[in-house]
Amino acid sequence: MTATPPALPTLLVLDADPLPRLGKLTGRVRVEHADDSTLADRLPSADVLLVWDFAASHAVRSAWPGDGPRPRWVHTASAGVDHLMCPELADSDTVVTNARGVFDQPIAEYVAALVLAMAKDLPRTLELQRQRTWRHREAQRVSGTRACVVGSGPIGRAIVRTLKALGVTTALVGRTPRTGIHGPGELDRLMARADWVISAAPLTDETRGMFDARRFGCMQPSARFINVGRGQLVVEDALAEALTKRWIAGAALDVFEAEPLTPDSPLWQVPELIVSPHMSGDTVGWRDELGTQFVAAYERWEAGKPLPNVVDKKRGYVPGH
C-alpha cells in the first residue's frame, strides 16, 4: 500500500507585477496568489503569507480580522510594517518578518545624493539649463556640515556611515539613548544645530507627526530636511508653511501621507521642495534581492529554524536598534 505524501504547505502571495521568483521552492510549497479583492477569502487556507505588493498591503489590515485560521508567518517585502499591522495581527501568534537589510545602502546613497544636490544647487542648475540661462552661483561645501539622523535602525546607521564619508558630522537619534545614539529628549537640541535633518524612523504611535511646526521652528534658517522614513512622520502642511515662509532653506520628500501624490497636491508647487515617488530604496535588481531574501527565510522556516528579521508587533519594528 502506497503511503500518501504529506500535504505541501500553502504560500499565499499578495501579488505585484513582476511576481517574485520562487522557482527554488518548486515541489516544496503550493503557491497561491491573491490581490486586495481576494485576500480575505484565501487567508484561511494559507500557512505563510508573502506581502509582495506594497501598494496593496493595506488589504492585510482589513482582511486579517475575518473568520477562520490565519497564516503562521507573514513576511512583508518592505522595511516598514505599519501598512499591514492591525490589532488582531499584533495580538496573534503569527510571526511577522520584514525585508530589513535590503534597502539600507540604497536609501543611504539616495540621501547622500539629495544632500549633494541641494548643497550644490543642482535643481536650479537643471532649470537654468532648460531656460538656456547662464547664471553663476556659489555652492555650499558639504564637508564640515552637521546632520541629525532620526531613526537608529539599519537604514539610519547606513545614512550615518555614508554621510561621514562626505565629511559630515552626524548625530544619530533613536528610541532609547545608548552608546553612539542620542535619545528623543535630545532631538530638539540636535535639530537646532543641524544643517541637515534626516528622517528615517519607523512609523509608530510615538513617531507619528513628530516633524511638526514646532520642530521645523527649531531648525536653522539655512537647514534642510529630508524624509525617507514614512510619510506620516511629517505634518506636510507644517513643512509647506516652513518652506514658504523660509523658516528653513529646503526639503526633500520621498514618502508622503497619501501615495501616490495626486496631480492637484499643493506639495508639487512648494518652493525649495524636492518631490520623489517613494523610490529611494529601489535600485536595479531590488526585486530579485527581495525574492532571494524570502526564499532563504522560507528554507529556515521549513527546517524549523528561527526566522531572521522578526518584528516586535507591539513596537512596529525589528528590535535590537
Side-chain angles (χ1 to χ4, degrees), residues 14-298:
L14 183 58
D15 284 344
D17 188 27
L19 295 174
R21 296 183 180 181
L22 303 174
K24 194 174 180 182
L25 301 181
T26 300
R28 298 158 62 182
V29 63
R30 182 173 64 253
V31 179
E32 296 184 355
H33 300 274
D35 57 23
D36 54 359
S37 66
T38 60
L39 180 63
D41 291 336
R42 298 184 180 177
L43 267 182
S45 64
D47 297 290
V48 179
L49 172 63
L50 170 57
V51 184
W52 187 251
D53 186 355
F54 181 85
S57 57
H58 64 275
V60 178
R61 302 181 71 169
S62 56
W64 195 271
D67 296 329
R70 290 294 178 260
R72 291 174 282 160
W73 169 33
V74 174
H75 178 81
T76 178
S78 62
V81 300
D82 53 275
H83 50 288
L84 57 88
M85 293 300 296
C86 61
E88 291 82 2
L89 175 53
D91 293 336
S92 72
D93 293 331
T94 297
V95 176
V96 176
T97 59
N98 71 355
R100 184 186 191 194
V102 172
F103 302 105
D104 307 352
Q105 192 56 35
I107 291 177
E109 292 172 5
Y110 198 87
V111 168
L114 289 171
V115 167
L116 289 168
M118 288 191 279
K120 305 307 177 183
D121 203 22
L122 291 185
R124 202 176 319 277
T125 294
L126 295 173
E127 180 59 32
L128 290 170
Q129 179 181 348
R130 283 190 288 270
Q131 298 172 9
R132 301 190 180 193
T133 299
W134 181 280
R135 184 179 300 163
H136 180 269
R137 288 107 61 219
E138 293 180 346
Q140 180 183 3
R141 184 171 180 170
V142 171
S143 179
T145 60
R146 296 175 180 267
C148 173
V149 180
V150 185
S152 59
I155 292 173
R157 295 198 299 270
I159 291 170
V160 166
R161 289 194 301 271
T162 304
L163 291 183
K164 282 184 175 179
L166 296 175
V168 179
T169 300
T170 60
L172 185 59
V173 179
R175 184 173 181 267
T176 55
R178 52 205 184 276
T179 303
I181 299 176
H182 300 271
E186 296 185 77
L187 178 56
D188 291 352
R189 177 182 65 83
L190 294 169
M191 286 181 63
R193 301 175 60 197
D195 300 290
W196 313 97
V197 176
I198 299 156
S199 164
L203 180 61
T204 66
D205 290 341
E206 291 75 23
T207 61
R208 187 181 301 273
M210 67 184 298
F211 295 103
D212 55 12
R214 187 188 68 78
R215 283 260 161 75
F216 292 125
C218 289
M219 295 173 61
Q220 302 180 78
S222 60
R224 296 177 174 94
F225 174 78
I226 298 171
N227 186 22
V228 290
R230 281 286 177 263
Q232 295 84 352
L233 299 174
V234 177
V235 180
E236 291 175 350
D237 289 345
L239 175 61
E241 182 181 20
L243 290 166
T244 301
K245 294 183 177 179
R246 298 184 180 181
W247 295 345
I248 61 175
L253 298 178
D254 186 56
V255 287
F256 301 87
E257 289 186 56
E259 297 182 8
L261 200 63
T262 58
D264 61 349
S265 170
L267 291 175
W268 294 107
Q269 301 297 323
V270 173
E272 305 302 329
L273 175 62
I274 297 174
V275 169
S276 60
H278 204 151
M279 59 178 284
S280 60
D282 300 348
T283 53
V284 175
W286 66 285
R287 291 183 180 87
D288 289 342
E289 194 171 349
L290 287 172
T292 299
Q293 182 189 54
F294 173 74
V295 168
Y298 184 88

